[in-house]
Amino acid sequence: MGNKHSNHSSHKHTADNKMKHSKMDHSTMDHSKMDHSEMDHSEMDHGAMGGHAHHHHGSFKEIFLKSLPLGIIIMLLSPMFGVQLPFQFTFQYSDILVALLSTILYIYGGKPFYMGAVDEFKEKNPGMMALVTLGISVSYFYSVYAVIAGYVTGEHVMDFFFEFSSLVLIMLLGHWIEMKAVGEAGDAQKALAELVPKDAHVVLEDDSIETRPVADLQVGDLIRVQAGENVPADGTIQRGESRVNEALVTGESKPIEKNPGDEVIGGSTNGAGVLYVEIKQTGDKSFISQVQALISQAQSQPSRAENLAHKVAAWLFYIAVIVALIALVLWMVIADVPTAVIFTVTTLVIACPHALGLAIPLVTARSTSLGASRGLLVKDRDALELTTKADVMVLDKTGTLTTGEFKVSDVELFNDKYTKDEIVALLAGIEGGSSHPIAQSIISYAEQQGIRPVSFDSIDVISGAGVEGQANGHRYQLISQKAYGRNLDMDIPKGATLSVLVENDEAIGAVALGDELKPTSKDLIQALKKNKIQPIMATGDNEKAAQGAAEILGIDYLASQSPQDKYELVEKLKAEGKKVIMVGDGVNDAPSLALADVGIAVGAGTQVALDSADVILTQSDPGDIESFIELAQKTTRKMKENLVWGAGYNFFAIPIAAGILAPIGITLSPAIGAVLMSVSTVVVAINAMFLRLDPKSSVD
């Protein structure tokens, strides 16, 4: 136990203060400040979105707005399906003007699509962009041919400029909306970045203040943080005291009293006092950057579901091309070339699976930011899918299911020479000089009881057994039950550690210390059983302590587990073909976190946990594991719904577009095809935004 605490203490501040992110207070995350047009989404390479990744919606917005007047003029001047609508007009050679304007629109407005298509073909992976390009190219080139043929033969050949321009505009608009939606879903990082001020006030040698960009701060600089300002970087307070609100960074809702020597986190908000802070971490090393890096790492990995979406898009591309060719040949035989072309173009337009390209990225982005707001940082996207298939969850005890803090649960007397208060005074006195967690809890227990510790003249450590000391001419020892080696007549509370107070080789009293279960641990175990995930507690603690906690929780347990044992346990479970989730607090659980199918680090110190876990729960609340399982189930379900919507729709629409129902009078024009397609895209986007988590049952 001792060693566990010692390596904890170094992580303790990073752990507790920093990583309690969860309740990220959204009110402070003001989305309105985030100007979406500037946000370059090209960083988020959305696997399934193939070519789109190269254009952020700023450019789609711009291309759309510039193409709009062109498109409108074309639509005014070119009859739809050769039928002149009331608001349209033509004049001599207006068709040549239309052909010229369409050429400009094709080159400018169509550029994102054919550039994207080129990329897709280079990767031998045609998908979204290839389909759009096919649709607009077929309608454009056929229409130009129609105009030329009309002048050559003198007969009117029907053209598709109306359809072509409406298609380009609708596609551009769809992409702009899509990019914006993706943008809004993935703003967790941006919100974090907004927390850090742009400039810092650096205190120079002569006490004058210089304002410097935060990017230029060096470790060791002394900065002044005024009341109400956000702290620019992680550091330690040199002078000044104040209350600092870390809600957005750590989820700790009440402002925390800070005095010289305390740590402050970049991005937290200073209260009423002025603080002078020495910088300890800047840039990539800072807490906020670590969290941002984590989020972007998670968002840039294509998950298996996303790869599936791309495969479906590729299939649709091939199906569309084949069906379109069949339609072309059949309709040329049944009817004439213009009819055949209408059906061919419509088929290619309809097939364009926008909704499919969006299906997965939107859900992932939404799920990532939803998770981050609860302090669930998902590093590896596949973790969500794997969690829904999990069979076993291996849980660490100390710090995960229990608070990890020792509390005195019982003080027992073995003779009537001393009162209980006197025993407590002796216990607190003999532990006076020690920083061991057990000693600390005995001392604070005495304080709470208002008992003054006995002052000892000398205190020595008995290696491996405890401490001994002299007070008032008596010699006392406080040793472990094992070192005492005899049976004691007392009921030891479940899972408690016992220390015996000995005088002249005789037990005069004993103190039982226990590690308390967290309030949400029981609920978690019930939730796991309900989800058919078998919980196993694996702990470094002794058999008794482990058994005590396991009995209260009603779970299987393994005691005295070294990091190596835990690793072998996970290995063994995996070898049996089970999907394993490992939950640990990072430090000694790192190897098994990395090995498990899903590694969940709970409120762990930043360094180790970031590297080895797939999911990080910034608070050490077992209830968050429950929230994570819920997030995993809901995210996976939304992905499936969206794939069905995105692809299923096309499988109905393609044959209709190809004219399979034409004999009974049902056909689809390319423009209506494009509208329908946009509708399915919107449905997918809305469905993704409806991903919600149940409000947490607050157990405080």
Side-chain angles (χ1 to χ4, degrees), residues 80-220:
M80 182 170 174
F81 289 112
V83 179
Q84 198 160 336
L85 298 176
F87 57 83
Q88 293 175 320
F89 54 93
T90 47
F91 44 86
Q92 202 180 2
Y93 302 128
S94 65
D95 46 3
I96 292 178
L97 175 64
V98 167
L100 287 173
L101 292 175
S102 296
T103 306
I104 300 170
L105 184 61
Y106 181 71
I107 293 168
Y108 178 72
K111 187 176 175 194
F113 304 110
Y114 49 77
M115 297 300 278
V118 170
D119 289 343
E120 288 182 347
F121 280 113
K122 270 192 195 142
E123 290 162 17
K124 300 198 173 48
N125 198 348
M128 289 284 306
M129 293 303 189
L131 274 173
V132 181
T133 305
L134 206 59
I136 60 177
S137 304
V138 171
S139 53
Y140 167 74
F141 287 112
Y142 177 80
S143 303
V144 172
Y145 150 78
V147 172
I148 296 169
Y151 280 98
V152 173
T153 61
E155 282 178 28
H156 176 70
V157 184
M158 196 171 101
D159 65 59
F160 287 119
F161 286 124
F162 185 92
E163 287 71 29
F164 157 76
S165 59
S166 57
L167 183 61
V168 172
L169 292 180
I170 285 174
M171 284 296 170
L172 285 170
L173 180 64
H175 273 71
W176 170 28
I177 292 173
E178 167 181 323
M179 289 292 160
K180 206 169 141 73
V182 171
E184 281 165 12
D187 276 333
Q189 281 159 290
K190 193 130 193 267
L192 282 173
E194 305 241 326
L195 291 178
V196 180
K198 302 279 174 283
D199 298 309
H201 312 300
V202 181
V203 182
L204 305 177
E205 308 257 314
D206 57 3
D207 266 352
S208 61
I209 301 275
E210 174 184 283
T211 303
R212 249 182 244 169
V214 168
D216 301 344
L217 290 175
Q218 304 293 323
V219 172

Side-chain angles (χ1 to χ4, degrees), residues 421-490:
D421 287 3
E422 286 168 339
I423 294 284
V424 174
L426 284 167
L427 288 168
I430 200 165
E431 289 283 32
S434 167
S435 60
H436 188 279
I438 290 185
Q440 290 301 318
S441 30
I442 291 176
I443 293 165
S444 62
Y445 176 74
E447 272 176 20
Q448 283 160 10
Q449 305 282 323
I451 298 170
R452 286 198 44 194
V454 173
S455 65
F456 274 68
D457 309 325
S458 67
I459 298 175
D460 300 302
V461 173
I462 314 167
S463 168
V467 286
E468 62 179 347
Q470 293 239 358
N472 313 332
H474 293 259
R475 189 152 193 81
Y476 298 99
Q477 294 175 321
L478 182 62
I479 52 179
S480 66
Q481 189 182 4
K482 192 168 150 200
Y484 178 65
R486 277 166 276 175
N487 273 335
L488 291 165
D489 175 28
M490 70 177 277

Side-chain angles (χ1 to χ4, degrees), residues 44-50 52 128 178 181-182 185-186 298-299 301-313 353-368 381-382 384-385 634-647 680-681 683-685 687-689 691:
M44 291 171 131
D45 178 15
H46 288 260
M49 297 170 78
H52 311 14
M128 289 284 306
E178 167 181 323
V182 171
Q299 291 183 334
Q301 293 169 328
S303 67
R304 283 195 294 266
E306 207 158 285
N307 300 341
L308 178 67
H310 202 101
K311 279 201 192 77
V312 176
H354 260 61
L356 196 63
L358 273 176
I360 304 295
L362 279 180
V363 176
T364 310
R366 170 74 188 158
S367 159
T368 308
R381 290 196 194 167
D382 290 341
L384 291 165
E385 204 181 327
K634 290 190 170 173
T635 303
T636 310
R637 192 170 70 224
K638 283 282 183 218
M639 284 183 173
K640 287 179 181 154
E641 285 171 14
N642 273 0
L643 277 178
V644 168
W645 250 103
S680 72
T681 308
V683 169
V684 166
N687 190 30
M689 289 331 242
L691 179 61

